[in-house]
Amino acid sequence: MKLSSAPGRGHRATVAAVLILNAVLMLFPPIHWAIAGLGPVGALAYALGAPLVAVVSLVLLYTTQRAEEVQ
Amino acid sequence: MNSMIVGYGGVIAALAVVVLAMELSKRKTASFSDYATGGRSFGPFFATMAFLNTWLPGAVFVAFGGLTVSAGLLGFQGLFYSLLAVILMFLLARPVHEWGRAFDLRTQADLLGLRYNSRAVRVVSAVIGIAASFPWLVMGMQSLTLVFEYLSFGAVDAIGAVVVGILVVAVRQIWTMRFGMRGVMISDMVQGLLAYGLGFVLVLGFGTWLVTNGHGFGAVQPALYGLPGPDSAAGGLYVFSLVLTGTLGGWCWPDIFVRLFTARSTATIQRSAVQAAPALLVFSGALTVMTLLASSMPDVASAPDHVWFLVARHLGPVALTLAGICVVMATMGNVSANLQALGTQTVNDILGVARGEKVETPRAGRIAVAVFTVAAAGCALALAGAQAGLFVLAMISYQGICQLAPTLFFGIFWQRGNAIGAVASMIVGLTAAAVLQMSYPLSIPWLGGLTSGAAALVLNAAVYIVCAYAFPGSAEERARIDGLFDRLRVPRRRPLVEPAFD
């Protein structure tokens, strides 16, 4: 399946890595099931940490794309 | 009575500030395209605030707060799918904006009509979007009931509060109708600052008060620190389904998608995604943690949906009034954007297609927004005592709108899909989602806890992919699609039109 609309090979790799990382962190059911065993601190760390990874990922996407545009 | 004057007066003052901002930024609307997209002239700050004010309705304070109180960590699913949706926003920015500017696209259905070169795809997606959004519009109009009940301090009963809420929302729409998308963008900025800026300050205050009054993390029921597992009543795939449908479905709502047409460039949308993500994390994260802490209050545990107001009430009438203003501002943003999107989509993608012409004057858009406002207010009043039935309809429509996702995302990111697959997958997905939702309102036990929308999405995507390979299309059509995608590979240029709103 050929995906379109994403410019540059380096940027494409970043996009793929970001999508996989965030999809696993927030969508993968076994991670959801394991939360109850982490206790309050672990559960809250996951609930706020996974979205924080998404925020950092977006900044990474933005900066790699900008760098590619400058080149 | 004095407290009621503070409560209702505060809401009136906040609404007056919003209307004043819209009047001061008034510009002549030159065309229907200008009315529908705000002239594609807004910078990243406006784009961010508009996205937030549409994405986070008043329900985040009420229904999502209630969900956290009763189901604990499950309340974080809204934050999860919001951030995944913002990542998608970043990826959608380039194709949607470039095609939108090049072909004067005004709506989501307009874009799908272009991509698939099909009136059927355009009309079917427009009808699904409008039909699925309308019950939420009616519920949005009814959602201010709690605000006006609490802010009356006992002077107005629940039915009276429904009527007051609907009238306030309906009157506010006069400005949505007059100013179109430009008015919506300006008001979203003011409403967003009040709803989430003021709201965040309140959340910090409420959280501090809770922790210092015996409602710390240790007081929360241990069961609330988990998510439904394979042995739960909902099933092991329940959370996965909620996050998946929330992420993909979010971009299927016409009022959310049209945001991508209002920004002045691809870079603007991408910058607004980068700005929206931390704002969502900080605001939604703090709000969800605060409502989790409040779950140990006895009065909150007995009325979870009232959590925002019950905590505020402990801090006095001024805090309660400010809390009410936050909910009103968040609700206004969502309802206004919804009305504007439904009005323009009806005119652009149903009436325009039926007449075989491109709509050029903003007058038809204004009339359509007015008609939707009156119809939604009428339904909201008529169904004031039948919220349960309306909620069932809204849940069916939520699972239904997600079924636009394969047509939308495959269409934008994959060149192979075709109109036959798009129409077939949308209809199959919608039918499957509606039937499954009526039989399994929570989740489907024999599918491990998948929700109706998620299960239908699998079927929907399968139909789309099979049709893509079974009906490859003519050489001429493939060349046309190649041309569309080739536009996205040319070097970026500065926007032709200088920004009007930074």
Side-chain angles (χ1 to χ4, degrees):
Chain A
M1 197 181 280
K2 184 176 134 198
L3 290 173
S4 305
S5 311
R9 192 173 290 173
H11 183 67
R12 279 188 191 201
T14 313
V15 168
V18 161
L19 283 176
I20 292 167
L21 173 68
N22 285 284
V24 169
L25 268 179
M26 290 195 258
L27 281 167
F28 193 51
I31 295 183
H32 300 152
W33 306 338
I35 297 308
L38 297 178
V41 175
L44 282 173
Y46 167 70
L48 294 169
L52 180 62
V53 171
V55 174
V56 174
S57 304
L58 262 171
V59 175
L60 180 70
L61 268 182
Y62 187 69
T63 49
T64 54
Q65 183 167 302
R66 294 283 292 178
E68 206 168 79
E69 282 171 10
V70 170
Q71 286 171 7
Chain B
M1 191 61 189
N2 283 342
S3 297
M4 184 179 168
I5 292 171
V6 171
Y8 280 31
V11 171
I12 291 168
L15 287 171
V17 169
V18 173
V19 168
L20 184 66
M22 293 169 79
E23 288 286 354
L24 289 176
S25 61
K26 185 170 64 178
R27 290 188 185 196
K28 187 170 167 54
T29 304
S31 64
F32 182 79
S33 186
D34 198 24
Y35 185 80
T37 66
R40 304 180 209 274
S41 59
F42 287 88
F45 176 67
F46 279 92
T48 303
M49 295 309 291
F51 170 75
L52 291 175
N53 205 205
T54 309
W55 190 264
L56 299 172
V60 297
F61 296 97
V62 183
F64 273 78
L67 178 69
T68 307
V69 168
S70 52
L73 240 56
L74 191 60
F76 280 93
Q77 51 112 354
L79 179 58
F80 280 26
Y81 73 64
S82 296
L83 283 161
L84 289 173
V86 172
I87 293 175
L88 287 182
M89 176 182 180
F90 189 95
L91 302 177
L92 286 168
R94 188 161 166 75
V96 175
H97 183 81
E98 297 293 334
W99 290 343
R101 184 180 286 280
F103 298 98
D104 187 25
L105 304 178
R106 296 98 175 252
T107 63
Q108 178 191 63
D110 216 356
L111 180 134
L112 293 176
L114 168 80
R115 163 61 184 83
Y116 293 101
N117 196 21
S118 163
R119 286 183 175 194
V121 172
R122 186 173 171 185
V123 173
V124 168
S125 61
V127 169
I128 291 174
I130 293 164
S133 298
F134 194 75
W136 290 87
L137 190 56
V138 175
M139 286 215 308
M141 288 202 161
Q142 292 178 340
S143 69
L144 295 181
T145 304
L146 279 182
V147 175
F148 289 106
E149 198 178 347
Y150 272 92
L151 294 189
S152 78
F153 295 88
V156 176
D157 64 7
I159 294 297
V162 175
V163 175
V164 172
I166 293 167
L167 290 177
V168 167
V169 176
V171 169
R172 160 68 181 79
Q173 301 319 313
I174 290 170
W175 285 271
T176 304
M177 181 190 71
R178 284 176 59 205
F179 296 156
M181 182 54 81
R182 183 169 279 114
V184 170
M185 296 291 285
I186 299 290
S187 62
D188 279 351
M189 188 268 293
V190 182
Q191 287 163 177
L193 286 175
L194 285 169
Y196 319 117
L198 174 64
F200 180 65
V201 173
L202 289 179
V203 166
L204 291 184
F206 294 173
T208 307
W209 180 83
L210 285 164
V211 169
T212 53
N213 282 273
H215 300 287
F217 290 101
V220 176
Q221 291 283 329
L224 295 182
Y225 287 115
L227 290 168
D231 300 328
S232 66
L237 299 180
Y238 182 59
V239 181
F240 163 80
S241 299
L242 293 182
V243 178
L244 180 75
T245 51
T247 304
L248 298 179
W251 286 108
C252 297
W253 295 103
D255 58 335
I256 296 288
F257 195 86
V258 76
R259 298 297 176 206
L260 301 173
F261 291 133
T262 58
R264 70 175 186 242
S265 69
T266 298
T268 299
I269 301 171
Q270 293 179 331
R271 268 185 67 186
S272 77
V274 174
Q275 290 172 358
L280 279 167
L281 172 61
V282 170
F283 173 76
S284 295
L287 178 63
T288 312
V289 169
M290 188 280 288
T291 48
L292 186 66
L293 292 172
S295 65
S296 60
M297 292 171 67
D299 51 350
V300 169
S302 59
D305 283 353
H306 295 217
V307 56
W308 180 246
F309 302 101
L310 288 172
V311 176
R313 195 167 67 179
H314 281 280
L315 281 91
V318 174
L320 186 53
T321 301
L322 294 175
I325 289 171
C326 292
V327 181
V328 172
M329 293 296 110
T331 302
M332 289 300 176
N334 186 264
V335 170
S336 303
N338 217 338
L339 277 167
Q340 213 280 340
L342 296 195
T344 50
Q345 193 146 297
T346 302
V347 171
N348 193 59
D349 304 302
I350 297 178
L351 299 180
V353 170
R355 288 184 194 162
E357 64 184 26
K358 198 166 178 87
V359 181
E360 297 296 355
T361 64
R363 188 165 167 266
R366 290 197 179 101
I367 293 170
V369 172
V371 169
F372 271 110
T373 304
V374 172
C379 289
L381 285 169
L383 299 171
Q387 273 109 338
L390 187 60
F391 184 74
V392 170
L393 188 60
M395 289 317 294
I396 293 172
S397 66
Y398 178 78
Q399 305 299 348
I401 194 88
C402 298
Q403 306 310 318
L404 291 182
T407 295
L408 185 67
F409 289 105
F410 279 132
I412 290 173
F413 294 114
W414 189 35
Q415 289 175 229
R416 187 153 193 138
N418 55 48
I420 298 170
V423 173
S425 68
M426 283 191 285
I427 291 173
V428 167
L430 185 66
T431 309
V435 170
L436 288 169
Q437 180 64 25
M438 282 188 277
S439 308
Y440 304 99
L442 181 67
S443 61
I444 306 166
W446 48 272
L447 288 177
L450 278 182
T451 59
S452 58
L457 265 180
V458 176
L459 190 62
N460 181 335
V463 169
Y464 186 98
I465 292 169
V466 167
C467 288
Y469 285 101
F471 308 102
S474 65
E476 187 186 357
E477 175 61 7
R478 285 203 301 276
R480 189 192 68 84
I481 294 171
D482 287 345
L484 274 182
F485 282 86
D486 284 345
R487 283 182 168 273
L488 306 175
R489 299 189 185 99
V490 297
R492 292 172 182 78
R493 289 166 301 187
R494 291 185 65 77
L496 296 173
V497 181
E498 283 306 309
F501 295 93
D502 267 313

